[in-house]
Amino acid sequence: MPDIRTDDIPDTATRVRVGGKTYLSAASARADLELYPYLREREITADCGPIPLHMKTGGGHIVRWTAWSDGQIVRGRIDRPADLPSRLSATEDLVGHLIREAAPWREGDARPVSDRWMRWLDATGASDEQVSLTVDERAVGPDRIATRLVGLTRYTVHCSDGTSDAVWVLREQVSLPDEPSGPRRTFGGGAMRARTSVLDDETAALAAFAALDDHRPPVVTSTDAAPALGTTPAALRQAISRAHKNDSGPYSESVGRTNWYVMEDLREMWNSRPGHGPGRGHTRTAG
């Protein structure tokens, strides 16, 4: 539903989003809007009919995401009911991978992730098996080691209708710890770059893993990256500086006086410069 005014919230609304918070009724949303008038300046949307099927909670019982009957998953705060719906308890981790696949999201965003998770409602169980995992490392300073993990995991979901679903999760993550430590060999938060794909076909999953498992260095300097981008280190550093002035610069970690980047981030920044990229007289140079 499009952005609306406070007075236009339907009485029968079952999902109202005000900025980054979701309410389960028009009355609860209006109460907060009356109590905190500044909320009226935020985006307000309302839907009639959808009901929450599952709420994933985190530390302190904060709701991390909510799965809805219309196929949407909404991240962020919610006006909680007395009893939390929990119809995806057996597959929370797997649904989390679907959410990561659709990332990045703004808090409060809602979009259909995939209707496949609706088959997992009331699943009786789920198991996972690591198919492949590779770790590539690069020392970037005393006791500072960057790692790139590429992992493929097979999940089996035992659905409520007695059938089973097989799903493959492909993850890539580049990490460079802020403090001196050993190499990171497990997936988790705080990564320089991370991406997730969820696949239903084993052949496609194995092929996707093979394509990523190319043993590229986890991180590079601008000097490393420039030849692969068809430019000079000085020109690349100038482009990075301009991108940061526009709040679109690639993420980096500094070790001593050296800035370290993920090559894919530099490539995306380089190819997205104004006047460059496909269709604008610019040919991408293979890395």
Side-chain angles (χ1 to χ4, degrees):
M1 190 170 182
D3 191 12
I4 60 177
R5 298 179 304 170
T6 303
D7 294 342
D8 295 330
I9 298 175
D11 291 339
T12 56
T14 55
R15 181 176 61 209
V16 181
R17 297 196 298 278
V18 180
K21 185 172 182 179
T22 304
Y23 300 85
L24 302 180
S25 69
S28 59
R30 289 173 182 151
D32 263 14
L33 289 164
E34 183 68 26
L35 187 60
Y36 307 108
Y38 66 87
L39 293 177
R40 299 173 188 174
E41 302 301 319
R42 300 183 179 178
E43 180 183 23
I44 301 173
T45 61
D47 298 286
C48 300
I51 60 173
L53 302 178
H54 186 88
M55 291 184 182
K56 165 64 175 176
T57 59
H61 304 291
I62 298 172
V63 175
R64 302 298 185 187
W65 52 261
T66 304
W68 294 79
S69 59
D70 61 351
Q72 290 192 5
I73 290 182
V74 182
R75 294 180 67 182
R77 297 171 296 155
I78 191 167
D79 186 40
R80 290 173 43 159
D83 297 316
L84 295 179
S86 56
R87 298 185 60 189
L88 290 169
S89 297
T91 55
E92 276 191 345
D93 289 346
L94 188 51
V95 175
H97 289 309
L98 289 176
I99 293 172
R100 280 185 283 273
E101 182 181 43
W105 287 1
R106 289 185 300 113
E107 183 159 302
D109 272 0
R111 67 188 71 181
V113 174
S114 165
D115 60 3
R116 75 185 83 176
W117 66 263
M118 299 191 80
R119 269 189 46 78
W120 306 335
L121 291 166
D122 306 316
T124 58
S127 59
D128 62 270
E129 175 189 2
Q130 182 174 289
V131 178
S132 298
L133 176 68
T134 60
V135 183
D136 292 296
E137 302 175 359
R138 181 172 186 176
V140 299
D143 300 319
R144 299 288 297 277
I145 300 175
T147 57
R148 176 175 180 261
L149 307 180
V150 179
L152 182 65
T153 303
R154 183 184 191 273
Y155 284 80
T156 302
V157 180
H158 305 294
C159 301
S160 61
D161 62 1
T163 63
S164 295
D165 278 1
V167 182
W168 286 262
V169 175
L170 176 64
R171 301 185 70 183
E172 177 194 19
Q173 179 172 300
V174 176
S175 301
L176 176 52
D178 292 334
E179 300 296 334
S181 65
R184 182 170 187 171
R185 299 180 182 275
T186 58
F187 291 98
M192 290 183 68
R193 181 181 174 96
R195 61 176 172 173
T196 299
S197 299
V198 182
L199 304 102
D200 296 318
D201 178 76
E202 182 177 18
T203 300
L206 293 173
F209 175 84
L212 277 182
D213 187 27
D214 55 7
H215 301 290
R216 70 190 73 165
V219 292
V220 296
T221 65
S222 56
T223 300
D224 296 331
L229 298 176
T231 188
T232 65
L236 179 55
R237 285 192 289 268
Q238 289 178 353
I240 293 170
S241 178
R242 285 193 295 268
H244 279 299
K245 290 179 181 178
N246 295 325
D247 295 325
S248 58
Y251 181 79
S252 66
E253 288 281 357
S254 297
V255 180
R257 300 181 62 182
T258 303
N259 290 326
W260 294 92
Y261 304 88
V262 178
M263 184 64 197
E264 289 76 10
D265 291 344
L266 288 177
R267 191 184 305 280
E268 290 171 5
M269 180 276 301
W270 182 254
N271 289 332
S272 64
R273 291 168 298 146
H276 294 73
R280 297 183 180 181
H282 176 78
T283 301
R284 294 184 176 180
T285 303

